[in-house]
Amino acid sequence: MNELEKKLETIEQQLQLISSNQSSIFGNTISPRSDEIDLRELFSILWQGKWWVIGVTLLFAVVGIFYAKSLPNMYKSEGIYAPAQKQGGAGGLGDQLGGLASFAGVNLGGGKSNDIDQAIALVTSWPFLERIIEVHDLKPLIMGVEAWNHEAGELIWDDEIYDPVNKKWLRVPANGKGAEPSSFEVYSVLRNMLSVGFDSQTNMLNVTIEYYSPTIAKDWVALIVAELNDAFRVRDMSESKKNIEYLEKKISETSVTEMQAVFYGMIEAQMKTLMLAEVEEQYLIKQVIQPKIPEVKSQPKRALICVLFVILGGFVALSFVLVRGFWLKSGKVRIA
């Protein structure tokens, strides 16, 4: 019984020793009093550096105001379009005679949704926009303009880049580039101005241009859509002519009356497609909502820019004051 009591006493002493060690360890590292001191020091540092915070924030606010005012106004014009229905085209016959047409080596068309996918890819491509820029001489308007004078209703040219009177490029060449912007440079700028999207639920295509001049933005939307329709119109006319020539050759090569009748039906379908392409200007997509001249700028959001500059300035100022305060405090501790 004495040995058991001794063992219990020994265990109890060991537990007390462990408990005292834990309390001493945690008691030295965590203390409500130490938290209060750190919080007071934090507020003290911020209070001492309040003029730094106010001054730096005001400085960023002023810079933000001047920066926002320096940005030119941009105007956005948008047109909404729907896929055109090719009445009397090759689609119906293609559904009925698709296998035979494929066997004969003839493309009867159809596939409107596929045409829309191709149109979206084409309208944002370099060759397509490059052709529009060259044919309509848009390079100076894309690269040489810096703003729009709303009161006078005229463009403001960048004198360091382009001379509109003498039609001369004045840009200082950089990185091996010439004074006149390259085709890819102009394409990249126009591509950023252009936005094209297709809503599969409404089956509508929207084309948007954002530019300095609201009038030119509206005109460019109509121009791009007209060029897009023309590209598919020319493509289908060329294919229809080739198909007609091929089918006429097939008719002359066969003496089977039934096959000749089928080929004549295909020719009729191709003739309808050709006639529609020659007559219809809105061949691929038809206008649902015409682009208008915008009266309100779309960019820049000057108020938002100023707010962001103020927030950035406050963050920079607070970070500087806190780092400076704790650095000075640590330096004093080391000197002492």
Side-chain angles (χ1 to χ4, degrees), residues 146-157:
E146 64 177 2
W148 166 258
N149 188 331
H150 190 74
E151 288 75 15
E154 58 185 23
L155 296 169
I156 300 176
W157 296 87

Side-chain angles (χ1 to χ4, degrees), residues 86 90-91 94 106-112 115 235-236 239 243 270 273:
K86 296 182 181 179
V106 177
N107 178 18
L108 292 180
K112 176 59 64 178
D115 281 352
R235 182 203 67 177
D236 284 359
E239 289 182 355
N243 289 340
Q270 293 298 302
T273 300

Side-chain angles (χ1 to χ4, degrees), residues 143-178:
M143 303 299 294
V145 176
E146 64 177 2
W148 166 258
N149 188 331
H150 190 74
E151 288 75 15
E154 58 185 23
L155 296 169
I156 300 176
W157 296 87
D158 191 338
D159 297 334
E160 296 181 356
I161 296 180
Y162 186 74
D163 180 3
V165 177
N166 299 315
K167 297 183 178 181
K168 183 179 179 181
W169 292 97
L170 307 174
R171 187 178 69 162
V172 178
N175 300 326
K177 298 178 180 178

Side-chain angles (χ1 to χ4, degrees), residues 272-291:
K272 290 179 180 179
T273 300
L274 183 60
M275 292 173 60
L276 181 65
E278 290 176 344
V279 173
E280 186 62 62
E281 293 183 357
Q282 299 186 42
Y283 181 72
L284 178 70
I285 53 176
K286 288 191 174 184
Q287 180 177 276
V288 176
I289 300 177
Q290 67 175 353

Side-chain angles (χ1 to χ4, degrees), residues 11 16 19-20 23-24 32 45 65 83 115 277 319:
I11 294 172
Q16 290 177 354
S19 177
S20 63
S23 62
S24 64
I45 292 171
I65 291 172
D115 281 352
S319 301

Side-chain angles (χ1 to χ4, degrees), residues 207-218:
V207 180
T208 304
I209 284 287
E210 193 170 40
Y211 186 67
Y212 305 108
S213 165
T215 305
I216 293 178
K218 178 253 183 185

Side-chain angles (χ1 to χ4, degrees), residues 65-191:
I65 291 172
F66 278 99
Y67 174 71
K69 286 186 175 181
S70 68
L71 297 174
N73 290 339
M74 301 289 286
Y75 297 88
K76 182 184 291 185
S77 182
E78 180 182 29
I80 307 297
Y81 304 88
Q85 301 297 324
K86 296 182 181 179
Q87 301 294 336
L93 186 63
D95 294 336
Q96 300 173 16
L97 304 175
L100 184 58
S102 299
F103 176 76
V106 177
N107 178 18
L108 292 180
K112 176 59 64 178
S113 61
N114 187 45
D115 281 352
I116 295 297
D117 292 337
Q118 293 179 24
I120 294 174
L122 177 64
V123 78
T124 57
S125 66
W126 183 4
F128 179 80
L129 293 179
E130 180 185 42
R131 179 183 175 278
I132 293 178
I133 292 167
E134 291 178 353
V135 171
H136 300 279
D137 193 23
L138 302 183
K139 185 181 290 187
L141 293 173
I142 296 172
M143 303 299 294
V145 176
E146 64 177 2
W148 166 258
N149 188 331
H150 190 74
E151 288 75 15
E154 58 185 23
L155 296 169
I156 300 176
W157 296 87
D158 191 338
D159 297 334
E160 296 181 356
I161 296 180
Y162 186 74
D163 180 3
V165 177
N166 299 315
K167 297 183 178 181
K168 183 179 179 181
W169 292 97
L170 307 174
R171 187 178 69 162
V172 178
N175 300 326
K177 298 178 180 178
E180 182 175 353
S182 65
S183 172
F184 184 74
E185 286 182 272
V186 184
Y187 159 73
S188 299
V189 176
L190 180 58
R191 178 65 186 87

